[in-house]
């Protein structure tokens, strides 16, 4: 069955904060830019494999969460919410980007409660662990994904998962994220997890 994948790349160019401190070599990770690059890196192989894949916010400017949720729901209604998934790609931060912090690792979030999003999040977490990522878990509810009432997850009709792809304000994580190896690994994680979900549940 044809699956429709919506990739949301979070914040816009004008969103305050959402950046790493400056690395010793002068480089800096900007979340809006980085997540757009990753989303495009995820979209290409999925499209080549015949998956119908959308970028929710192709431009550089921010689109409000309310508007984004509306756009997702229009697509989910058009295609059927069982045949549509949303993956929102983010970078984590423990502070405000002014200094390096200690928290690090990879996380996935879903809406609260047992939904099909949990199956999608399981695909992500299994693959992240298989790839040797340090996966931060909240096992209190029995799921390896953390659950929270994040707006884009709570107000969308289709299964939705938000990935926090390492901490941009942890120096080790940030160096990994900006490296070619890191970018490829993060993009591959998304491609493999989405493909697995489609194979298993679509
Ligand atoms: Zn974010």
């Amino acid at each position: 069955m044809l699956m429709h994948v919506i990739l949301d790349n979070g914040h816009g160019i004008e969103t305050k904060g959402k950046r790493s401190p400056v690395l010793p070599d002068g480089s800096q990770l900007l979340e809006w830019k980085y997540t757009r690059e990753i989303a495009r890196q995820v979209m290409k192989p999925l499209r080549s494999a015949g998956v119908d894949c959308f970028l929710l916010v192709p431009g550089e400017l921010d689109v409000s969460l309310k508007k984004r949720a509306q756009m997702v729901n229009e697509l989910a209604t058009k295609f059927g919410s069982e045949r549509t998934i949303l993956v929102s790609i983010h970078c984590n931060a423990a502070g405000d980007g002014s200094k390096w912090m200690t928290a690090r690792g990879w996380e996935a979030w879903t809406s609260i409660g047992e939904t099909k999003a949990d199956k999608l999040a399981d695909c992500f977490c299994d693959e992240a662990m298989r790839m040797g990522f340090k996966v931060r878990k909240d096992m209190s509810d029995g799921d390896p994904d953390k659950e929270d009432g994040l707006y884009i997850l709570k107000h969308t009709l289709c299964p939705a998962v938000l990935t926090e792809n390492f901490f941009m304000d942890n120096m080790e994580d940030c160096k990994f994220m900006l490296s070619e190896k890191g970018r490829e690994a993060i993009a591959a994680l998304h491609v493999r997890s989405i493909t697995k979900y489609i194979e298993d549940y679509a």
Side-chain angles (χ1 to χ4, degrees):
M1 200 198 300
L2 184 62
M3 198 73 175
H4 307 273
V5 177
I6 306 169
L7 299 175
D8 170 36
N9 41 23
H11 320 280
I13 188 169
E14 77 281 34
T15 314
K16 285 203 169 58
K18 311 288 183 192
R19 63 194 56 209
S20 74
V22 179
L23 281 159
D25 70 358
S27 60
Q28 184 179 31
L29 190 154
L30 305 173
E31 186 177 356
W32 74 269
K33 186 164 178 275
Y34 188 78
T35 53
R36 274 163 178 71
E37 289 162 1
I38 294 292
R40 288 195 157 77
Q41 238 174 300
V42 172
M43 188 168 65
K44 246 181 136 182
L46 286 176
R47 277 193 172 162
S48 303
V51 178
D52 193 29
C53 204
F54 298 85
L55 277 185
L56 190 60
V57 186
E60 294 189 345
L61 296 180
D62 194 26
V63 174
S64 74
L65 282 166
K66 196 176 168 202
K67 177 78 188 143
R68 272 188 268 157
Q70 270 171 12
M71 286 155 63
V72 169
N73 289 339
E74 275 165 29
L75 290 168
T77 303
K78 185 173 150 199
F79 299 129
S81 53
E82 292 291 299
R83 281 185 290 152
T84 310
I85 57 171
L86 168 70
V87 178
S88 191
I89 304 170
H90 286 256
C91 308
N92 221 338
D96 62 3
S98 63
K99 60 175 188 289
W100 296 107
M101 309 291 283
T102 54
R104 58 184 304 194
W106 183 92
E107 291 176 356
W109 297 73
T110 65
S111 49
I112 291 166
E114 179 71 26
T115 68
K116 246 192 155 180
D118 293 314
K119 308 235 183 317
L120 178 56
D122 284 348
C123 293
F124 269 95
C125 291
D126 291 349
E127 187 59 32
M129 283 185 274
R130 214 183 57 78
M131 291 178 76
F133 286 8
K134 180 186 182 290
V135 178
R136 292 162 58 90
K137 295 178 196 170
D138 172 14
M139 297 301 287
S140 61
D141 60 1
D143 293 325
D145 60 296
K146 289 186 146 199
E147 298 196 2
D148 189 27
L150 296 172
Y151 190 95
I152 195 87
L153 303 177
K154 209 166 142 189
H155 293 88
T156 41
L157 298 170
C158 57
V161 167
L162 186 151
T163 60
E164 289 281 12
N165 296 284
F166 299 95
F167 280 74
M168 57 188 161
D169 61 357
N170 175 280
M171 198 189 276
E172 293 312 305
D173 271 10
C174 187
K175 283 179 180 168
F176 175 70
M177 294 160 88
L178 288 172
S179 70
E180 216 38 62
K181 193 176 159 230
R183 288 172 188 271
E184 275 166 24
I186 291 167
L189 167 72
H190 286 73
V191 174
R192 288 176 197 165
S193 307
I194 291 167
T195 304
K196 180 84 169 60
Y197 178 85
I198 295 172
E199 282 168 7
D200 289 359
Y201 301 106

